[in-house]
Amino acid sequence: MDSVASERDMFFCPVRAQAIHHPDRAAVYLQHEAVLSYSAFDHIVSAVQRQLVQQVAPGDQVVIQLGNSLQQVILLLALWRCRAVVIPLNPAISAGATTHLAGKVDACFAFPESTADALQVPLLKVTFPDHSAEWQREESQNLPIALGKENQPVTLLFTSGSTGEPKVVAHSLRNYWASALGTLAELPLQASDCWLLSLPLYHVGGLATLWRVWLAGAALAIATDKAHQLAVYLQMPITHSSLVATQLQRLLTQGLSSDSGQLKTIILGGGPVPDSLLAALPASIQSWMSYGLTEMTAMVTLGRWQGDSQQAGKCLPHRQIRLHNNGEIWVRGETLCLGYWQQGKIKSVTNKDGWFATRDIGQWHPVERSLRPKQLKVLGRLDAQFISGGENIQPEAIESILYQQPGVQRAWVCAIADDEFGQRPAAVVEVSAACHWQPTLWQRAITDQLPSFWVPDYWLEWPEDLQAEGLKVSRHQLQKWAELQLELIAKC
């Protein structure tokens, strides 16, 4: 870890380092507003830090519930400089959900006022300086700022809960540093580049973007248009963006082309991506596939799209991957989280062999051991697999075929109870407005590649009112909805 750690395993603020060595370099682009240099950004963070240090002690847990905004980024870094543990929550969830999640941690403060009221903890009192005001750099701003030692917790993040109750994951400074440096080794980021903050800051992917940009000395783009329409890419010098399939679909529908600003690299993850979407990208834009998880501080693998979105690239530096006997993906390395926060303590996530068992199923591609570099192909979840008539069915294999069909934007397959076979597959599919509902065509496509008993018995149209929880739609939520729909159909 020598390349990541500083003297005596102490980590120093990368924004302050950039402000000292490259004060005039662009740090933040704001939509419809002026650009902030690293010197200006550091000055604002320092002003907020001086307010917080009067309230927050090292190790205090602070819940913040803001959207992707300049204020949220400033508050995050100022709290880390105070050596607080930040717990960012989705601002769209209800007060009841906020209280439920926060009940799993030991919050000392919260921000904004509505969150503090819901949790009945002291409000973090902070006034954000006018970022457009004139200011004078102080002598103290020429000194490095120590953030703490390598295993110091800096965030507590909630997993998506897409397969059950969310867990609380504790990450350290070392985790974020190693995550950023490993990614930059495979995907270099230049000082002239600008990364759009397109992933939420209550998600490990959004937080990892911050550290990646700061350590590279690049710029961050923060849009007021939270839907990240194509206009955002035309109005700011965005070169890099992390997207999920629905975001990419939206951009292509709006006419994304080689003339659409300076965009040159996109990273896809957070769920299945139709290969047809990636094939529709302009040749000037590189698309990269990734596989990651909260416990591993975002990306574990990364690689250029090669025509198959299930291939997630090669293992990044500071991470290790092992495929267990049943194909389960095991991971470890310097990006592996400190553990799960449970009842005031951090509990290790590793098994007796020292690995984190992801419950994801994968295989190396190519399969031959002699060929390098090996690409990880992610096949699905162990806990999604079910038995029908004595045969194993992997829902993600069916979903992968559906994603290859024209017009299919989202597809999900689940098990439905069946008197004869125990369980049978049901498919929930969303198609674009320009395409038709074609289950007969989809059935033929599935039987061309999989055993006939894998073909779903039931086909349901994707519910318009079903909202994603963070970046993913809850599999549990979809399962309940599908069961209810089929019960209603049976009664008709």
Side-chain angles (χ1 to χ4, degrees):
M1 200 67 183
D2 292 342
S3 62
V4 177
S6 301
E7 61 183 30
R8 295 183 181 177
D9 295 327
M10 188 67 72
F11 288 75
F12 291 86
C13 178
V15 169
R16 171 56 62 85
Q18 297 294 345
I20 292 171
H21 299 292
H22 308 286
D24 298 326
R25 183 178 288 175
V28 181
Y29 285 92
L30 300 169
Q31 193 177 6
H32 309 304
E33 295 187 56
V35 181
L36 290 180
S37 67
Y38 265 99
S39 183
F41 180 50
D42 175 63
H43 173 79
I44 296 168
V45 174
S46 296
V48 173
Q49 177 193 353
R50 286 193 291 271
Q51 301 174 53
L52 298 182
V53 78
Q54 305 298 322
Q55 309 168 63
V56 179
D60 279 355
Q61 296 183 11
V62 182
V63 174
I64 56 175
Q65 202 168 19
L66 297 172
N68 278 21
S69 62
L70 178 62
Q71 286 188 348
Q72 172 97 331
V73 176
I74 291 169
L75 192 54
L76 280 167
L77 185 52
L79 284 166
W80 287 329
R81 286 183 175 184
C82 295
R83 305 192 185 186
V85 180
V86 183
I87 307 165
L89 295 182
N90 183 350
I93 63 176
S94 66
T98 298
T99 303
H100 172 70
L101 292 177
K104 299 174 180 289
V105 297
D106 300 322
C108 302
F109 296 92
F111 189 89
E113 187 172 0
S114 57
T115 304
D117 288 346
L119 303 184
Q120 297 185 327
V121 298
L123 171 67
L124 200 64
K125 297 176 182 177
V126 58
T127 301
F128 293 93
D130 180 359
H131 57 263
S132 62
E134 297 265 339
W135 57 275
Q136 290 290 327
R137 187 165 183 83
E138 300 171 6
E139 189 63 32
S140 61
Q141 289 180 263
N142 293 320
L143 300 174
I145 295 178
L147 299 178
K149 294 194 173 182
E150 60 175 23
N151 287 325
Q152 177 180 314
V154 289
T155 57
L156 293 178
L157 300 182
F158 291 91
T159 59
S160 65
S162 56
T163 58
E165 182 70 14
K167 298 181 177 67
V168 187
V169 182
H171 290 107
S172 68
L173 287 167
R174 180 193 196 198
N175 292 151
Y176 284 109
W177 242 265
S179 176
L181 293 185
T183 303
L184 293 172
E186 179 67 16
L187 181 63
L189 196 59
Q190 307 300 321
S192 57
D193 288 332
C194 177
W195 202 301
L196 176 65
L197 185 59
S198 51
L199 301 179
L201 288 172
Y202 55 82
H203 185 277
V204 71
L207 295 173
T209 299
L210 298 183
W211 294 95
R212 191 182 309 136
V213 166
W214 293 339
L215 285 169
L220 189 71
I222 302 176
T224 52
D225 171 14
K226 299 310 176 189
H228 299 136
Q229 308 286 346
L230 183 59
V232 170
Y233 292 84
L234 299 175
Q235 293 166 359
M236 292 190 285
I238 297 163
T239 58
H240 293 66
S241 184
S242 302
L243 302 173
V244 294
T246 51
Q247 293 171 316
L248 177 58
Q249 176 68 57
R250 187 185 303 129
L251 291 176
L252 288 169
T253 301
Q254 293 172 359
L256 179 67
S257 71
S258 56
D259 297 324
S260 301
Q262 301 178 37
L263 185 63
K264 61 183 181 181
T265 301
I266 62 170
I267 297 179
L268 280 300
V273 181
D275 289 315
S276 58
L277 286 185
L278 296 166
L281 277 170
S284 60
I285 300 176
Q286 292 184 0
S287 54
W288 294 68
M289 302 308 300
S290 67
Y291 165 69
L293 52 156
T294 304
E295 287 85 353
M296 284 293 284
T297 323
M299 286 186 279
V300 180
T301 66
L302 183 65
R304 289 285 301 276
W305 176 65
Q306 305 289 342
D308 181 358
S309 61
Q310 280 190 306
Q311 288 189 29
K314 66 181 183 180
C315 186
L316 292 168
H318 306 302
R319 295 94 159 150
Q320 292 176 269
I321 298 174
R322 171 183 172 185
L323 296 186
H324 194 49
N325 296 337
N326 59 357
E328 183 179 14
I329 301 170
W330 287 9
V331 291
R332 68 182 181 188
E334 293 157 354
T335 66
L336 182 61
C337 66
L338 295 173
Y340 292 136
W341 179 267
Q342 294 179 350
Q343 298 178 333
K345 295 181 180 179
I346 295 176
K347 180 181 178 181
S348 174
V349 299
T350 58
N351 58 24
K352 62 182 178 60
D353 297 308
W355 294 81
F356 175 66
T358 66
R359 304 294 293 164
D360 293 322
I361 306 170
Q363 66 178 204
W364 291 116
H365 183 86
V367 177
E368 292 81 1
R369 291 180 179 270
S370 59
L371 298 178
R372 296 289 189 275
K374 293 190 296 185
Q375 305 280 315
L376 181 68
K377 189 167 185 175
V378 182
L379 304 177
R381 293 279 301 172
L382 274 174
D383 45 23
Q385 192 177 87
F386 62 91
I387 297 174
S388 179
E391 301 286 348
N392 288 332
I393 291 180
Q394 190 66 49
E396 291 90 345
I398 305 171
E399 293 166 8
S400 177
I401 295 172
L402 292 174
Y403 271 109
Q404 296 168 19
Q405 307 311 304
V408 172
Q409 294 185 326
R410 286 193 283 190
W412 179 79
V413 175
C414 68
I416 296 295
D418 184 86
D419 291 340
E420 182 177 359
F421 297 100
Q423 297 180 102
R424 290 296 299 147
V428 185
V429 181
E430 179 183 34
V431 296
S432 63
C435 292
H436 299 291
W437 184 254
Q438 304 179 85
T440 303
L441 177 66
W442 303 333
Q443 288 168 353
R444 286 202 299 268
I446 294 168
T447 53
D448 284 345
Q449 301 181 51
L450 296 172
S452 59
F453 66 85
W454 286 48
V455 175
D457 285 0
Y458 312 99
W459 297 88
L460 298 170
E461 294 189 50
W462 195 280
E464 292 183 3
D465 58 347
L466 191 63
Q467 299 297 315
E469 297 177 357
L471 296 179
K472 301 178 183 178
V473 173
S474 165
R475 298 189 75 91
H476 176 72
Q477 199 177 1
L478 266 172
Q479 177 85 37
K480 291 295 184 184
W481 177 86
E483 290 172 352
L484 177 60
Q485 296 305 305
L486 291 173
E487 284 179 14
L488 294 174
I489 292 171
K491 291 178 181 178
C492 293

